[in-house]
Amino acid sequence: MNEVRKAEEIKDIEALDNWVHHLISSWMLIKAEQPLKMLYDAIHKENTSNKSIGNGVRI
C-alpha cells in the first residue's frame, strides 16, 4: 500500500492502475476489494479530480 500512496502523491495514474489491477484479485479472496473497486472507478472515470483519487487511496 506504500507504493499505492507514493503513486498517488506523484499523480502517477498509470502506476495506480497497475497496482489496483495487481491487488484486486487477492483482496477479492478475503472479500475486501470494495475500496480497490472504488479507486479503480475513480481512476477510469473521465474528468476525475485528484481529490477523488486521493480519497480512494486513503480509504
Side-chain angles (χ1 to χ4, degrees):
M1 290 309 298
N2 237 4
E3 295 300 317
V4 172
R5 285 186 200 94
K6 287 179 187 176
E8 187 272 328
E9 286 173 1
I10 63 171
K11 309 301 184 227
D12 187 345
I13 302 302
E14 185 176 337
L16 272 174
D17 191 30
N18 288 333
W19 277 112
V20 169
H21 178 76
H22 177 75
L23 293 170
I24 200 161
S25 60
S26 58
W27 285 32
M28 288 174 82
L29 293 173
I30 60 171
K31 304 210 182 290
E33 75 278 5
Q34 189 59 32
L36 286 178
K37 284 184 178 183
M38 291 171 46
L39 180 55
Y40 178 89
D41 291 343
I43 290 170
H44 289 93
K45 184 178 178 183
E46 199 169 312
N47 299 322
T48 297
S49 70
N50 288 334
K51 184 178 179 183
S52 295
I53 293 172
N55 288 341
V57 169
R58 290 174 190 84
I59 289 179

